[in-house]
Amino acid sequence: MSRYDATSVEQKWQEAWEKAGSFAAKRDESKPKYYVLEMFPYPSGRIHMGHVRNYTMGDVIARYKLATGHNVLHPMGWDAFGMPAENAAMASGGHPKDWTYQNIADMKSQMKPMGWSLDWTREFATCDPDYYGQQQSMFIDFLQKGLVYRKNAVVNWDPVDMTVLANEQVIDGKGWRSGAAVERRELTQWFFKISDYSEELLDAIDRLDNWPAKVKLMQANWIGKSRGLQFAFSLIDGPTGHDRIEVFTTRPDTLMGASFIGISPDHPLAKVLERHDPKIAEFNAEARKGGTTEEAMETAEKLGYDTGLRVRHPFDNAWELPVYIANFILMDYGTGAIFGCPAHDQRDLDFARKYDLQVIDTFVAAEGGAPVKNEAFVPPKTASVKWLKAFAWDELATGEEAIEAAIGFCESKGVGFGVTKFRLRDWGLSRQRYWGCPIPVVHCDTCGVVPEKKENLPVRLPDDVTFDKPGNPLDRHPTWRDVACPTCGQPAKRETDTMDTFVDSSWYFARFTAPRAETPTSLPDADYWMNVDQYIGGIEHAILHLLYSRFFARAMHICGHLPAKAIEPFDALFTQGMVTHEIYVTRDENDRPVYHLPEDIEWTESGARLGASGQSVEVIPSAKMSKSKKNVVDPVNIIQQYGADTARWFVLSDSPPERDVEWTASGADAAFKHLSRVWRTASDIVAATGSGQGDDDLLRAMHKTIHDVTTGIESFGFNAAIAKLYAFTNMLAKSSAGAAAKKQAMTTLAQLMSPMTPHLAEEIWSLMGQKGLIVEASWPVADPQMLIEDTVTLPVQVNGKRRSEITVAKDMPPEEVEKLVLQDDAVKKALEQGPLKKLIVVPGRIVNVVI
RNA sequence: GCGGGCGUGAUGGAAUGGUAGACAUACCAGACUUAAAAUCUGAGGGGCGUAUGCCCGUGUGGGUUCGAGUCCCACCGCCCGCACCA
């Protein structure tokens, strides 16, 4: 028997689909549309197994929807701006543009053999001037609608390289190239007013019915709505202009437990103080060292500096509290100042113990409450506690009740007012880098900040730049910067910052609906294709990318670029897991790890060893495939060895799609063996003739499989669907049914497999003598009559443990079942132990006898 | 540190609160073969037993329920995100 030749089969059908234009989407009002989109890739130059998994999942959905009569849009493009292109240029001297477009060409040539049903006619890269020009046009629209503004914000500053660093370029508080301690420095930057939409973005989460609950929860927590009190402490003998310190607290109920005031090193008062006090200046300078991330702030040692200033407690003029500058207080959140209540906040308690400050219990546990020692008492806000320092509520009250009462009381006394704050900050989009979308504004001494005229768009990136020194080449470009002011015509300077790449990815889904339009979108196309019916990508995008896109869709709607129905652009979201692999490591002479590629490993009885030298290799449990750990399997090699269908089948088969899947050589081999077996079985069936036995059983199983696989695909249970296909293939291969029934079963099997292994499916379809392409055939429908079972086997439990089973007619009334159960030998035996307490019959499910 | 998630045989995993381990991998046994590969058949959570069977078992410890892998609480471990990685 000849071997299944994946390479030639796959190429043949890819050419057939290409010729038939099977995947080019066109507006067709007569059919229901379906827009399936996977998060577009960064053009690193090589596809990896994560891409294979992501795009194969989308492809299963796309092909299934195509077969169920939908007009499917399944596009692909490139998230092509970003730092790696500049890093490559710095490392090897090329140009980011050449590097990027070459990578796109390379990756596309690796993706094509996968046989994904992509509409390549809509392809674009975000670094195409056509695309970023439209983005610039929208930026100007946003500016006119007040959705963009400028303000100061801190960046990571490398004092040696004199350049801004990304968070990932800050390692342990030091610049990745220079090794210098990173400082936080303020720059004037552009921001999107996403915070204006905090409430709206939060409320709308409830209507995202087909998003994972965890993503919705993460977004809600990120937006972080909180109710609290804003009020001021009066400052005693403060510097001129500083007679009060405004604070925001979510726990006004603990006001009587306050023991210190903390202000951010970037607080206006701290900045005044540092001008006159070298020690404060030194403390602030030290506090400003390190990266800007929240993580860096919160894991750093909590330090404070006693300014010597004091404030009065709002309820007691005689009560004075010290004012500390503290390195863990963010200027960006609230007012940049807090009061510390050590008894009910662990961070405040640690701080109080360190600087020997008072700890005042304001409440204790309702029963057996003890004073706080080294662990703050922080019960849930819904728990009732016993109050020692209540000032407007009962002795026993929950935190929630006390907070509301405290706000009301403070308002009535003229001490501050209740406010709702959000954690969500405005979206800073300025990047001091070359390889991004230029911000289309001009700085004029006379007119100020002026948007570029739309007819001058796109503002193109100049090609003649070098990367031989750190910093933004646009900033030192000899002529690109110098322009005439669009308003007054006087000499002016271009903005040299470019946009965050999140901007590029916040509207690409809309652009795919009309990728060549001369406006950002074309409304008839957007109206037809939007929303994305199914969006698929990694959980790592759960917050930023998805939240920014939700904001952007609203902003685009305001500017007339999207219909109202598209303000929530993704109807359904699915977050798939990663592809992982074991890691193989040896040690060099200095005991440093040396990683090895899977293909260099040989397996012997004593374990893994290096194929070349025979050196034994340590095997570390699976982790996400990464180049640095060398635990990567190149999809290109898998396609060459087994074909695309095998890779597609494997990434779908073993694990549930939302979880990580571990790539194993044996698993890939098994996938290939199975597909070969299906092909062999099909070849046998073609040759078979005559009648046999068990036609009905086979056809019943076929209808059950149609039902199960259809359900599996619709619910993203691809691994479960594949398990059913395995089971049905096993049955079919062993079946002694007649030729006609087997042929029918095999044809259906091919259709059910076609979303996963489309090439093999086409091959079998044609082998079975079917006309046309399977990709044009309608999805099989299960006959409900064939799914009905006459009898059902019920497990019989005694006290929750399975002891027997009975087989009864499916529709037998529970009373009848009870009678039968009581006659069962195992039940009779159990009843000797004691009287029957309860008999539970769950129809069609289970029986439980409680003794 | 904060927010979110996950944890089931040797391995990947299955299981609307209802028979734990479907389906697959590895290993083992058998068939075919001069032999190997390929292919086919079978056994298969652990313990005791020839077997019908009995006991134990879903990270750990509690709880709810007739019944918990599934729900609740605490803990342990791993993973994702933390606003300039994409």
Side-chain angles (χ1 to χ4, degrees):
Chain A
M1 170 105 17
S2 57
R3 191 178 146 94
Y4 175 62
D5 180 5
T7 311
S8 65
V9 166
E10 291 180 355
Q11 201 180 340
K12 174 172 73 182
W13 295 113
Q14 283 167 20
E15 282 165 10
W17 299 328
E18 178 88 38
K19 199 175 152 206
S22 302
F23 311 126
K26 288 183 192 69
R27 259 165 61 192
D28 178 353
E29 308 289 343
S30 71
K31 283 190 198 171
K33 69 92 188 178
Y34 197 89
Y35 182 3
V36 55
L37 181 67
E38 304 99 40
M39 290 178 186
F40 65 166
Y42 179 80
S44 62
R46 305 291 300 176
I47 66 167
H48 54 68
M49 278 299 166
H51 294 126
V52 171
R53 196 172 188 217
N54 189 199
Y55 301 139
T56 300
M57 286 179 192
D59 201 44
V60 171
I61 300 291
R63 286 176 180 271
Y64 168 73
K65 289 293 173 183
L66 201 60
T68 50
H70 294 80
N71 191 28
V72 172
L73 173 59
H74 186 204
M76 181 55 66
W78 309 95
D79 189 12
F81 275 134
M83 296 200 306
E86 288 191 36
N87 293 339
M90 275 180 240
S92 56
H95 194 284
K97 183 169 152 183
D98 300 333
W99 184 87
T100 302
Y101 281 105
Q102 185 58 53
N103 281 352
I104 288 172
D106 291 346
M107 270 178 90
K108 192 173 168 183
S109 73
Q110 294 157 27
M111 288 165 76
K112 285 257 178 163
M114 288 304 304
W116 291 318
S117 63
L118 295 164
D119 179 0
W120 285 104
T121 68
R122 290 173 187 257
E123 176 191 5
F124 60 76
T126 56
C127 63
D128 294 343
D130 271 355
Y131 183 82
Y132 72 70
Q134 298 301 336
Q135 188 164 303
Q136 290 169 339
S137 167
M138 281 197 293
F139 179 91
I140 292 166
D141 294 342
F142 287 10
L143 192 61
Q144 278 155 2
K145 295 280 182 189
L147 293 160
V148 204
Y149 70 104
R150 295 214 307 161
K151 70 168 178 181
N152 283 356
V154 290
V155 294
N156 302 303
W157 180 255
D158 186 321
V160 171
D161 278 351
M162 303 286 281
T163 186
V164 177
L165 298 179
N167 283 335
E168 72 159 6
Q169 297 173 319
V170 179
I171 297 153
D172 294 331
K174 304 206 167 54
W176 67 335
R177 289 185 203 279
S178 70
V182 169
E183 296 165 10
R184 292 198 286 271
R185 173 176 282 215
E186 281 198 355
L187 290 182
T188 305
Q189 309 197 59
W190 287 96
F191 284 81
F192 288 121
K193 288 225 74 173
I194 189 171
S195 66
D196 277 1
Y197 296 83
S198 300
E199 186 96 60
E200 148 80 9
L201 288 166
L202 182 65
D203 290 346
I205 289 173
D206 286 343
R207 297 190 289 278
L208 298 173
D209 294 330
N210 293 309
W211 280 42
K214 63 180 169 184
V215 174
K216 294 197 280 185
L217 189 57
M218 286 162 84
Q219 290 219 350
N221 288 340
W222 184 261
I223 295 170
K225 182 177 183 175
S226 60
R227 169 103 175 129
L229 179 75
Q230 187 162 330
F231 68 104
F233 288 95
S234 59
L235 186 58
I236 305 164
D237 299 332
T240 314
H242 293 270
D243 56 353
R244 43 198 270 129
I245 297 177
E246 197 79 27
V247 300
F248 170 74
T249 177
T250 57
R251 295 306 300 261
D253 54 321
T254 64
L255 191 45
M256 298 308 287
S259 72
F260 66 94
I261 307 300
I263 63 172
S264 167
D266 299 312
H267 192 278
L269 176 60
K271 287 185 176 173
V272 171
L273 294 175
E274 73 181 3
R275 266 187 253 144
H276 308 290
D277 186 335
K279 287 215 165 126
I280 291 181
E282 194 187 329
F283 178 86
N284 285 352
E286 199 57 37
R288 286 185 194 115
K289 277 194 184 147
T292 56
T293 67
E294 197 167 287
E295 185 188 5
M297 303 283 280
E298 295 208 18
T299 51
E301 192 192 353
K302 311 289 186 287
L303 295 172
Y305 186 88
D306 187 354
T307 61
L309 290 170
R310 302 180 88 72
V311 297
R312 289 190 209 287
H313 195 281
F315 292 169
D316 181 356
N317 248 346
W319 184 357
E320 296 184 0
L321 296 97
V323 177
Y324 278 75
I325 300 173
N327 64 349
F328 55 87
I329 298 171
L330 299 164
M331 195 55 221
D332 285 330
Y333 186 62
T335 61
I338 59 149
F339 74 79
C341 176
H344 307 296
D345 183 291
Q346 191 60 44
R347 188 183 62 186
D348 291 351
L349 183 65
D350 295 343
F351 192 82
R353 294 295 182 219
K354 191 173 205 164
Y355 295 105
D356 202 22
L357 299 164
Q358 261 191 302
V359 177
I360 306 164
D361 295 286
T362 58
F363 55 81
V364 292
E367 280 167 39
V372 162
K373 293 207 172 69
N374 286 317
E375 203 171 314
F377 179 50
V378 192
K381 283 182 191 170
T382 49
S384 202
V385 293
K386 185 176 165 192
W387 291 83
L388 309 175
K389 303 270 183 188
F391 49 90
W393 56 93
D394 298 337
E395 192 190 6
L396 274 177
T398 65
E400 278 172 349
E401 290 159 357
I403 289 167
E404 275 313 308
I407 292 171
F409 180 82
C410 290
E411 285 181 340
S412 74
K413 295 285 172 193
V415 177
F417 45 93
V419 288
T420 299
K421 282 228 193 291
F422 293 91
R423 206 184 74 99
L424 180 64
R425 308 199 295 258
D426 276 333
W427 168 14
L429 67 117
S430 300
R431 296 292 181 270
Q432 296 70 40
R433 273 184 268 285
Y434 167 79
W435 193 233
C437 170
I439 294 174
V441 299
V442 169
H443 298 271
C444 170
D445 286 341
T446 315
C447 310
V449 181
V450 182
E452 184 55 84
K453 287 181 183 161
K454 282 205 178 177
E455 61 262 34
N456 293 338
L457 299 183
V459 175
R460 284 171 184 268
L461 287 169
D463 288 335
D464 53 335
V465 288
T466 58
F467 294 86
D468 46 357
K469 46 188 148 186
N472 180 359
L474 295 178
D475 222 13
R476 54 175 187 263
H477 192 279
T479 54
W480 186 81
R481 274 192 82 168
D482 301 327
V483 285
C485 170
T487 305
C488 69
Q490 296 297 304
K493 302 244 182 249
R494 270 194 203 294
E495 169 78 54
T496 59
D497 283 354
T498 51
M499 295 187 205
D500 178 10
T501 55
F502 273 124
V503 183
D504 312 333
S505 57
S506 289
W507 72 286
Y508 77 107
F509 50 87
R511 185 68 182 169
F512 274 138
T513 65
R516 314 290 171 238
E518 293 186 356
T519 45
T521 59
S522 135
L523 276 183
D525 288 304
D527 201 55
Y528 177 79
W529 290 112
M530 288 300 286
N531 297 341
V532 176
D533 292 275
Q534 182 66 59
Y535 195 34
I536 307 172
I539 185 71
E540 65 271 22
H541 296 288
I543 296 176
L544 293 179
H545 164 60
L546 289 165
L547 190 61
Y548 289 160
S549 296
R550 295 178 60 215
F551 161 74
F552 224 79
R554 283 166 171 77
M556 285 175 74
H557 168 61
I558 288 165
C559 299
H561 298 306
L562 276 180
K565 67 170 185 180
I567 62 170
E568 283 299 345
F570 311 123
D571 279 352
L573 173 70
F574 189 87
T575 55
Q576 97 277 3
M578 300 178 301
V579 182
T580 64
H581 197 285
E582 289 178 332
I583 298 169
Y584 308 109
V585 62
T586 56
R587 300 274 160 179
D588 69 6
E589 57 273 19
N590 298 317
D591 205 38
R592 280 186 301 241
V594 180
Y595 297 100
H596 304 281
L597 290 167
E599 56 255 42
D600 296 336
I601 305 299
E602 274 180 12
W603 288 92
T604 65
E605 284 177 13
S606 56
R609 59 177 201 186
L610 274 183
S613 67
Q615 192 185 358
S616 78
V617 170
E618 191 189 344
V619 180
I620 300 178
S622 272
K624 180 178 182 170
M625 285 189 181
S626 81
K627 272 187 202 158
S628 62
K629 297 275 177 8
K630 290 202 177 175
N631 61 334
V632 288
V633 174
D634 194 327
V636 171
N637 295 341
I638 299 299
I639 294 171
Q640 274 172 3
Q641 196 179 350
Y642 299 111
D645 282 342
T646 293
R648 297 170 57 115
W649 185 260
F650 180 81
V651 293
L652 295 170
S653 65
D654 260 12
S655 287
E658 67 276 14
R659 266 207 251 171
D660 294 349
V661 63
E662 182 176 351
W663 185 275
T664 59
S666 59
D669 208 49
F672 179 73
K673 281 183 191 170
H674 177 73
L675 298 184
S676 301
R677 185 180 181 218
V678 173
W679 182 75
R680 267 199 324 276
T681 306
S683 308
D684 291 347
I685 288 172
V686 171
T689 52
S691 60
Q693 270 143 32
D695 285 15
D696 191 56
D697 285 349
L698 183 63
L699 293 180
R700 274 183 178 276
M702 180 188 89
H703 282 279
K704 185 85 171 70
T705 307
I706 293 171
H707 174 265
D708 291 346
V709 171
T710 304
T711 312
I713 290 174
E714 291 201 340
S715 63
F716 269 84
F718 302 132
N719 57 326
I722 282 181
K724 302 290 183 188
L725 289 168
Y726 266 111
F728 184 58
T729 305
N730 289 341
M731 182 181 181
L732 176 55
K734 289 176 197 173
S735 169
S736 51
K742 280 185 167 183
K743 207 167 162 183
Q744 190 189 347
M746 179 49 82
T747 306
T748 302
L749 177 63
Q751 283 191 277
L752 295 176
M753 288 176 72
S754 67
M756 294 95 167
T757 56
H759 313 87
L760 176 62
E762 291 283 8
E763 187 69 12
I764 294 174
W765 183 258
S766 129
L767 206 58
M768 293 293 128
Q770 296 292 328
K771 299 274 178 284
L773 293 167
I774 206 167
V775 73
E776 289 161 358
S778 292
W779 191 250
V781 178
D783 178 355
Q785 290 299 315
M786 298 290 271
L787 298 177
I788 296 170
E789 310 267 354
D790 305 332
T791 60
V792 58
T793 300
L794 297 178
V796 177
Q797 295 183 333
V798 176
N799 289 338
K801 290 190 186 217
R802 185 185 169 281
R803 282 292 179 264
S804 178
E805 62 182 33
I806 53 169
T807 301
V808 299
K810 191 174 171 66
D811 50 0
M812 181 181 279
E815 310 84 63
E816 299 282 315
V817 176
E818 284 184 17
K819 282 182 202 162
L820 276 176
V821 166
L822 292 173
Q823 284 158 25
D824 185 88
D825 286 344
V827 174
K828 278 185 189 164
K829 200 176 149 199
L831 282 170
E832 290 166 14
Q833 308 301 311
L836 180 71
K837 279 192 195 151
K838 209 171 180 180
L839 185 55
I840 294 155
V841 177
V842 183
R845 275 280 171 205
I846 202 164
V847 178
N848 195 5
V849 181
V850 185
I851 307 277

